[in-house]
Structures are given as structure tokens and as C-alpha cells.
Amino acid sequence: MGESLSRRDLIRILGASGVAASLGGVSAASGAEEQSTASGEEFLGTVIQPQAVQPTGTCAGLVGGKVIQPRRELPVLGQTDVLVVGGGTAGVAAAIAARRAGAQVTLVERYGHLGGQWTGGLVLVVVGHIVRSGKQVCQGIGEEMLRRLDKLDGAIIDRKPGVNPTVDAEALKYVMVEMVQEAGIKTLLHCWGVDAILDGGTVRGAVFESKSGRQAILAKIVVDATGDGDVFAAAGAAHRRCKYNIGLVSRIGNVSQVDRARAAGAREPRGLGARTPVVGVRWVNMLGPEADGLDVSELSRLEINHRRFIWRSVEKIRNTPGYEAVRLLETAPQLGVRITRMLHGVATLTVRDFRAGARFADVVAVGGAAGINHGEWQIPYGALVPDTRVENVLAAGRCISAELRMADMIRVIPICWVTGHAAGAAAAVAVADACPVREVNVAKVQQLLKQQGAYLG
Amino acid sequence: MHPDGKASFPDEAVPGGNRWRRRLARCAVLAAAVMLLLPGWPCDWALLAVPSLSPFVAVPAAIAVRGVTCATLLALPVLCLAILWPRCFCRWLCPTGLLVELAGRCRGRGAGRGARLPNVGAWLVALTLGGACLGYPLLVWLDPLAIFAAAANTAGGQVARGAWLAGAGLPLVLLVGLLWPGLWCARICPLGATQDLIALPVRAVARGRQDKAKPSANWPMPRRTVLGMGLGGLAAAGLRRVAGAARPGRLRPPGAAAEDALSGLCVRCGNCARVCPSRIIHPDSGRQGAESFLAPAIRYDDAYCLETCVRCTRVCPSGALRPLAAEEKPSAAIGLPRVDMSLCLLGEDRECAICRTHCPYGAIRIVFSEADYLCVPRVDPRRCNGCGACQVMCPTRPAKAIVVYPP
């Protein structure tokens, strides 16, 4: 009986969709053949026109042995004041800052979660926000995230003055989504920013690849929080490229079940990592070799090698007497790419300034240091603005303008959140004043940042 | 003031009117010497002036390093003065002499006992000259001007652990002056003896003119000087062997002479420690060899040797530190760091490259070992000059994972 009923149902559904489609002015001629395989009463999915997803006839072609991508018009997904490309630490902070300042914001992220390296990369420890005296100098939106984690049960540990706290990745993903939703930010996940949209020397938006194909979003200001500087590089802003250590973080569980009595005497195995908010779970860092984080074959090779090493490392731990219960819980969804591109900005952060604690009139962020012997250091607005005449794009996060030797200072989580916060605030001011980011009134940005809880020295 | 003082005071042979004039001059010189060694001079040359005036430092040092420095040239006028008017420097200029004399006068009556001593100073000079011929001027650190400078430097600048010892020479000399007035200046002071020795040929020639019968008998080099030089040479050879023997050794300032020569060349004036902006030069404790006691040693506690600074090398009066040009600094190696992977945070897969970040010469790379799947800091000895920035910044406590060792 199922057979005939099912067919009848199917025809009914097809008919309904055909009416809907014709009302919408779209031809409904196709589709019956493809959908005929669907069967069963439980099938209630709505049939979608394939063209609505991906325009046909625009794929690459082989022309004279070369692969040619035909010229085509891209669908425009929307228009916004501030477009933040990259939903990592810097991107989320930038989006929230700009939205709270009144700008329309769209945030796009290549993975299915927010937080980037902080969550997907399992960089769980927050390092670089405190100085010698124990004072926390990275405040603002990032600190707000930590305070929200404080309120959740088991979401953060070591939240004491002068100590580097460790967060739980899942709790942080939740907190970030909540904050983004509360602020009213249009968020697109699974969207990989691949190109800038240029109009003369001015960036007018960005192009994305996703399951929906290649689409564009137009914007007044683009914040490049990709970490790799994908947008400013595509727009032609000067930058340096470098190789840096690429690792893969993992988490191991059941460490609380280690039999201390049996383990006594034996040397503690390597790779037990540091504790996390989850009891018995530890996160294990990896530095990895220096490699080009923009070379997909390198990334693939490293991902494979790193996974192999992690598995064997955990096997070694499990073979140590007393440690048999230890299990590998997960390897980080994102490879630990540290530095790839660094902007050539109007200003460049140098180790000399960092050591001297140089102060800038256009300071928009302040960084701390990981337990070592120095005080706070300032980040000028110029370090976010491209030196070359590429307008209306701001860098945020680990790709801002700095000497390579400063990379270890700028790539840490708190510096990403303060530079993101600064870029978002500056973008909002630029939108409100209808001026290019290069000519933004920095005093206004500083005032806005302070209103939003940032510390500027 | 005390006309009953002994004739060993250089003061006494002079008629009363001249004595006041001379006393005034000596006080002025003392004041000038103190002024030169006070902090606050815009250039370091002021510090160099006092210990460099001594021919007892300049001549043996020039022989030992087989070269002449700017500091050596400063002693030339004093040398000429000594030939023309023997002991003129002692009478008119020596600041240490004035202080010793004042100390002696504190005793008042009955002073001068125990002053019956052979001419120790002449032996000191002979030994030092003999040592200098072998590159190790044994006793230049007994120079009264160096002793004066060391005391002033200790009082005026460096107050590091053990630094007071470096300034203890002057109090000791004053104590000698207090106990046996006149003994130091007349019998022990090697600078005084140097002047006598320089004046010898002049006197011999003068005497030879008077007594033409026996010119050769008055040849100026007394036998004990030759003997002393021989002994000095032997001692120097022995000490150089001891000092240069394979031991861990200490870090020395940039441009320092080889370890087996440094302890002999250094006059322990403390100028280098005084001018060091990082305050990393300390007097050697002598624990790793008594011969290098109070010689300059570097300790990287909380500051490193600045990449553009060559100040210590510019204030050394004796060539123990070769004067460097700023461009030479990167190649003037102080030492070479070694990494202890059992302490290094990278050994625990922790996120750290602070040594690389802070290396002013870009000499540190973090190298990945495929076999151990581990990153290790590696130092390029061709770029590194051992400035200690890595050691200072290394976050491990209390022992540092990266430590600079002598080359």
C-alpha cells in the first residue's frame, strides 16, 4: 500500500510546489525526475530549485588545456555598514563593538562556530592580558566574555588577579553566539571569505564561497579578521608573508583516573598538557614546525602528521604504568596556524617600542605580557590601517602591522580581542562620520572604546 | 704643620713659603681628581683621566698588550715630568699621596716607627715589568691612582653585591699610612718607584759626567731590578697557565683580553662597572681562581649587554678591555648561550619563543625536530655575541633554561 500512497503524496507535493514556483515567476519544468527517488511517508522536505542554489553554466571550463573560470555576475547576499570577515576572537569583538556603536554589522565565519583559535583551535589558556604588577590591561569586550564565563558553571578556571585563566571551548562558543545574537549581528557561518570587492582603490565588500556558491556582500567598511589577512591581501594592501610554527592542539581525558600509586617512580610521560575547566580533561599544546600556513599541501601534510603524532603520543602515555585510563578526546577542529601574513600598516609595532613601553597619541589598544618582566605596551590605530592606498579595510587580530619579532606578542588571544575591539569601534565611527578609515577621528574612537569598557593606558 | 715630622714626608725638604703653595696645589689636585670621578659627567673620558695618568699602569700595559692606547698617551707627560724632576708627581700631584700623608699626620708625635723596610716598590716595579714582557703585568693593580679611582668609583656609583671590596684598597693604604707614616710613599708605592727607576739613567749620566773614571759602574739598571724582572716573568708565566687552564671561567665584558691575560692587565679601578648602563659588570668574587679577584665579570641577573653600548671598553686605562667601535660590538663575543631542554618550556610543548623575540642579533631560531616532534631553540654562534638578552628574558624560574657561558 505504501507504494501507491506514496506516489500520490509525491504528486500532491510536486503540484503544490509547482504552483508556488509559478507564482514566484520561476519555471517549474524540471525536478520531477530527480525527486522521484524520494519515498516514504516521513518525507516532508521542501523541494528546492537547483538554480536557486547555484547558477548553472558558470562552472570552469577546459579551454585549450587551461582551466578557465568564465566571467560572471555574483549574487549579492546583502548590504551592510560593517562587514567583519572572520568570526574568531578579533572578529567577534569587532562585530560586537561596531554593532553596539550603532552600525549594521554582518559577521561571516568559515567554520560552524565562533571563536576561531580560541575555541576551534583549542587555545584555551588566555595569555598576554596582564602585566608585571598583576594588573589586567586587556579589557573591554573580551573581558566581558570572561565575565560571562565566570557566571557559567565550569566554564573557566584560574580567574584570579595576575593569573592566566583557562576557558572551556564549548562554553565560550555558547557565550560568543549569545553575545552576537543579543547585539543583533547578522551572522553567516560556513562562509569562507575569498576575495575583496574593489572599486578603484576602495574596498566595497567581500566575496564568499559556501555551499551556496560564490556570493558577495557589499559594505561601507570591511574589517579583515581572517587572521591570514585574506581580504586586505586580495585588495592589494602591502604585507609580508612568513612561515611560522603550525601545530595541532588536542585534549585528553581520564587524567583524573591516573593511578598515582602505580605511576610513582616512573617518569611522567610527555604530553599531559595543562588542566581545563573539565575535571580529568587536559589540553595539550603543540608548536609544530615552521611552515607556510597559506599552502594547502603543507596544511594537509601537517594535519596528517600531527594527528599521527598525537595518537602515538597518547598511546605512549597509555603504555606508562598507571596511565592506562587516559584517552584522546579530540584533536582541535582547526589547525594551529600562528602567523601567515602581516600587514604593512601606517604604523608598525616594533620590539623596540614594546620594550620601551612607547606611548602613542593614537593608541587604540593596550597589550600585556605573559608573566615576564615588563609592563604594558600600546598599539596605535595606524597598525590596523594599510599603508598602501587601499581604503576602507581594517586589519584586526594576528595579521595587524608588526615586526615579525613582535608576532609572538600580537598573536595571543587577548591582543586579538583588543585589536578586534579597536577595529570594530573605528569602523563604526567611520560609518557614522561617513569618512574613510584612514581619516577617522581617533579621539572619537578612543572615547567610544572607553565607553565600551576598553583600557587605553 | 708638624715640623717634627720625619724626613720621609715629601713635604719636609721644602722651605716654609713654598710649602703652603704646594699644599694648596695638592688640595686642588685632590679636589680635581674627586671631581673627575664624581657622577654626572656627560662623557666617560673624565673617569679615564685619573688612573691613566700613572706611568706604572701605562708602561707595563703598553708592553703587555704590545700597543699604545689613548690612555697610555695620558701618562706620557707624567713620564717626562719624572725624568726632569724625580718624584715631582708625588710631591705636587698625587691625590692618594696627600690622603696617606694626612692619615700619617693623625698619629702626630712618635710617627715614623717601623719605616725601616727595603725598597719594596722597586721590587714591585721590577716584577711587574718582567711580567709585562710576558703579557701579564703582575701588580699593576697596586697603582695608587687605580686604587684611588676604585675607591671613588665604589663610593660614587656601583653598589652591587661585593662592590665595596673593590673600593677597599684605599682604606688599606690609608691604614698603612696611619700605622707607619711615610712607609707607603717612600718604600712601597710602585708609582713612586717607577719614577725613581725612570730617573736612574738621567742621574747616571749626570754622575758619569762628574766622575768620568768609572762610567760603567754606575749603569742605571741595578742587579735587583734585573732579578726582579726575571722572577716577575716566571711568576707571570705560571699565573697565565693557571688563569688560562680549562675551567668554566667567568663572562667578561666585550673586548676583554684573553682569560689568561685579563687578570694581569686589569687594574681593578672599577671604571667599566661604573659606566655600564645595564649594571651587569660586577667585581669577580675570585671563587673560580684567586688571580682574577675583583676583575670585571658579567652577571645577567635582570639586564643584558646593550647592542649599541661600548662604554666599558672606552674607560679601561690598561687595555684589559680593548676599546671597541660601536660597529664591532656584534662580533665582540662575550659568550655563547646553551639551552637546557629539561628546563625550557618548549620541552613541555608550551608556547614560548621569548629568547628568539628578544635576541637583538636574530641569532636564535626555533628549530623543529621531526624525530622528537619538538621545537628546540638553536643559537647561531656566528650571529650571537652572548649579550644575555635571552637569559634575562627567559621565563623559567629560578634556573634559566638558556644561560650564557664563556666562549
Side-chain angles (χ1 to χ4, degrees):
Chain A
M1 84 167 205
E3 178 87 342
S4 61
L5 259 178
S6 145
R7 200 156 272 166
R8 204 160 53 228
D9 281 354
L10 183 65
I11 288 161
R12 201 172 62 222
I13 292 161
L14 281 173
S17 71
V19 169
S22 56
L23 279 173
V26 181
S27 160
S30 65
E33 286 299 308
E34 288 106 274
Q35 299 302 329
S36 65
T37 49
S39 61
E41 275 177 289
E42 65 285 332
F43 176 73
L44 292 166
T46 313
V47 175
I48 302 169
Q49 292 295 324
Q51 287 92 339
V53 178
Q54 181 101 39
T56 49
T58 59
C59 67
L62 203 56
V63 182
K66 288 178 181 165
V67 180
I68 302 296
Q69 178 79 61
R71 184 186 166 96
R72 60 170 157 138
E73 185 190 340
L74 295 181
V76 176
L77 203 58
Q79 224 164 0
T80 183
D81 289 341
V82 178
L83 172 63
V84 180
V85 186
T89 312
V92 171
I96 294 172
R99 181 71 194 105
R100 285 185 185 171
Q104 291 298 317
V105 179
T106 304
L107 172 66
V108 292
E109 160 60 33
R110 86 192 222 200
Y111 292 105
H113 60 263
L114 297 177
Q117 287 293 338
W118 201 0
T119 57
L122 290 179
V123 180
L124 301 182
V125 68
V126 179
V127 173
H129 58 309
I130 47 183
V131 289
R132 200 165 24 205
S133 59
K135 184 169 84 169
Q136 182 178 332
V137 293
C138 297
Q139 298 276 350
I141 290 166
E143 170 61 15
E144 198 181 320
M145 292 174 191
L146 296 186
R147 290 208 179 130
R148 287 194 178 217
L149 291 174
D150 288 337
K151 290 194 187 126
L152 302 176
D153 185 27
I156 187 166
I157 50 169
D158 296 336
R159 267 287 270 178
K160 283 168 279 195
V163 181
N164 296 325
T166 302
V167 303
D168 181 70
E170 293 307 318
L172 186 59
K173 285 178 191 170
Y174 167 73
V175 161
M176 281 184 167
V177 167
E178 288 295 300
M179 286 175 75
V180 161
Q181 296 272 303
E182 279 168 27
I185 294 159
K186 186 170 187 218
T187 309
L188 291 165
L189 300 174
H190 304 291
C191 251
W192 194 316
V194 290
D195 213 348
I197 302 169
L198 265 187
D199 178 10
T202 304
V203 177
R204 298 280 186 211
V207 177
F208 302 89
E209 283 289 356
S210 71
K211 280 290 170 189
S212 307
R214 206 172 171 91
Q215 292 170 308
I217 297 178
L218 297 174
K220 291 177 183 156
I221 310 284
V222 177
V223 174
D224 185 346
T226 55
D228 296 325
D230 290 334
V231 179
F232 68 64
H239 61 271
R240 8 183 140 64
R241 288 260 273 110
C242 54
K243 289 185 171 188
Y244 221 82
N245 303 79
I246 298 178
L248 185 65
V249 184
S250 53
R251 288 202 293 179
I252 53 173
N254 282 351
V255 182
S256 52
Q257 293 176 32
V258 168
D259 187 342
R260 295 282 162 199
R262 291 189 53 229
R267 208 171 139 217
E268 191 175 87
R270 178 185 158 198
L272 285 176
R275 62 196 199 104
T276 69
V278 185
V279 176
V281 174
R282 296 175 73 87
W283 70 280
V284 186
N285 190 34
M286 185 202 291
L287 273 109
E290 276 181 15
D292 183 2
L294 301 177
D295 178 342
V296 73
S297 6
E298 282 276 88
L299 293 174
S300 308
R301 179 179 70 85
L302 290 177
E303 185 91 47
I304 289 164
N305 287 355
H306 288 353
R307 279 177 201 288
R308 189 178 289 149
F309 167 77
I310 290 169
W311 184 260
R312 287 178 186 165
S313 170
V314 174
E315 267 183 345
K316 264 188 206 162
I317 294 174
R318 287 161 52 79
N319 289 334
T320 311
Y323 288 88
E324 293 85 353
V326 172
R327 291 283 184 283
L328 177 62
L329 286 188
E330 67 173 330
T331 48
Q334 292 178 227
L335 204 54
V337 177
R338 289 177 173 82
I339 295 285
T340 49
R341 292 192 189 97
M342 293 177 100
L343 181 69
H344 264 300
V346 173
T348 298
L349 293 164
T350 63
V351 172
R352 178 185 286 265
D353 288 345
F354 164 78
R355 275 204 206 120
R359 300 181 73 82
F360 303 101
D362 61 340
V363 55
V364 287
V366 172
I372 62 163
N373 229 358
H374 60 77
E376 60 191 51
W377 49 284
Q378 296 194 338
I379 301 169
Y381 179 60
L384 315 181
V385 183
D387 187 19
T388 30
R389 301 296 293 184
V390 176
E391 290 299 343
N392 286 354
V393 61
L394 283 172
R398 61 178 161 91
C399 53
I400 63 168
S401 177
E403 258 184 351
L404 185 54
R405 286 208 289 150
M406 278 299 285
D408 285 328
M409 303 297 144
I410 59 151
R411 67 184 173 81
V412 291
I413 299 295
I415 309 306
C416 288
W417 90 48
V418 290
T419 54
H421 192 169
V429 171
V431 168
D433 293 356
C435 69
V437 291
R438 201 175 299 277
E439 287 150 32
V440 142
N441 182 343
V442 179
K444 270 192 192 174
V445 177
Q446 290 167 335
Q447 196 191 349
L448 175 59
L449 283 168
K450 282 180 190 162
Q451 276 170 17
Q452 295 186 344
Y455 169 80
L456 298 182
Chain B
M1 301 286 277
H2 287 270
D4 55 336
K6 293 297 171 205
S8 51
F9 291 149
D11 224 9
E12 293 310 316
V14 192
N18 205 7
R19 198 193 302 165
W20 278 107
R21 220 181 306 150
R22 195 151 58 78
R23 221 163 257 172
L24 210 64
R26 296 187 71 183
C27 289
V29 170
L30 177 65
V34 171
M35 287 277 285
L36 282 172
L37 292 166
L38 279 179
W41 287 85
C43 67
D44 298 333
W45 278 91
L47 285 177
L48 194 49
V50 174
S52 298
L53 281 174
S54 167
F56 176 62
V57 171
V59 173
I63 295 172
V65 302
R66 282 150 182 83
V68 174
T69 63
C70 293
T72 323
L73 294 177
L74 269 176
L76 210 62
V78 181
L79 207 76
C80 299
L81 214 60
I83 294 169
L84 294 175
W85 298 289
R87 290 270 185 168
C88 160
F89 183 82
C90 304
R91 291 206 181 91
W92 286 86
L93 299 169
C94 182
T96 313
L98 179 60
L99 291 175
V100 176
E101 191 184 320
L102 289 175
R105 284 180 184 278
C106 293
R107 285 283 295 275
R109 286 174 184 281
R113 268 183 296 116
R116 298 168 62 83
L117 204 70
N119 193 349
V120 178
W123 283 98
L124 298 179
V125 174
L127 286 167
T128 304
L129 281 174
C133 295
L134 285 171
Y136 197 88
L138 282 171
L139 301 162
V140 278
W141 47 274
L142 278 171
D143 180 75
L145 294 181
I147 287 173
F148 183 84
N153 282 336
T154 305
Q158 192 79 334
V159 277
R161 192 152 40 106
W164 62 272
L165 262 176
L170 188 63
L172 280 176
V173 171
L174 293 182
L175 193 67
V176 171
L178 188 69
L179 295 177
W180 303 284
L183 183 67
W184 170 268
C185 288
R187 293 282 158 190
I188 303 176
C189 177
L191 178 52
T194 306
Q195 293 174 71
D196 292 343
L197 193 70
I198 291 163
L200 271 181
V202 183
R203 282 185 193 166
V205 171
R207 223 173 295 155
R209 276 200 199 124
Q210 289 167 3
D211 183 6
K212 292 201 167 148
K214 306 194 298 179
S216 59
N218 288 322
W219 182 242
M221 196 68 94
R223 249 175 309 181
R224 59 158 185 243
T225 308
V226 179
L227 182 64
M229 284 180 70
L231 286 174
L234 277 175
L239 277 172
R240 285 195 74 155
R241 276 188 74 112
V242 172
R247 269 175 300 153
R250 297 293 298 267
L251 295 175
R252 304 295 180 197
E259 190 64 26
D260 65 344
L262 178 87
S263 52
L265 279 169
C266 174
V267 297
R268 275 77 168 167
C269 65
N271 273 355
C272 49
R274 165 83 173 273
V275 297
C276 177
S278 299
R279 298 254 182 261
I280 52 173
I281 304 180
H282 300 271
D284 197 323
S285 64
R287 225 167 281 155
Q288 298 185 24
E291 75 284 346
S292 58
F293 182 57
L294 298 184
I298 282 186
R299 257 200 342 249
Y300 295 126
D301 292 335
D302 46 19
Y304 72 101
C305 185
L306 300 174
E307 51 270 42
T308 51
C309 176
V310 287
R311 287 175 68 184
C312 57
T313 71
R314 301 302 190 83
V315 293
C316 180
S318 65
L321 307 183
R322 180 171 57 88
L324 294 176
E327 312 86 70
E328 289 179 89
K329 182 67 185 288
S331 54
I334 298 167
L336 193 66
R338 285 205 289 265
V339 181
D340 181 349
M341 281 313 286
S342 69
L343 294 172
C344 180
L345 296 183
L346 292 179
E348 304 165 26
D349 298 294
R350 288 179 55 188
E351 203 72 19
C352 183
I354 285 169
C355 50
R356 174 179 66 184
T357 303
H358 289 275
C359 176
Y361 304 99
I364 299 179
R365 285 184 63 87
I366 305 291
V367 179
F368 181 76
S369 148
E370 201 79 41
D372 301 325
Y373 235 74
L374 196 67
C375 283
V376 178
R378 195 150 295 162
V379 181
D380 181 353
R382 285 165 304 172
R383 289 183 160 201
C384 173
N385 99 328
C387 74
C390 51
Q391 181 176 340
V392 172
M393 297 311 277
C394 178
T396 63
R397 299 281 184 281
K400 300 283 187 167
I402 186 162
V403 175
V404 182
Y405 289 93

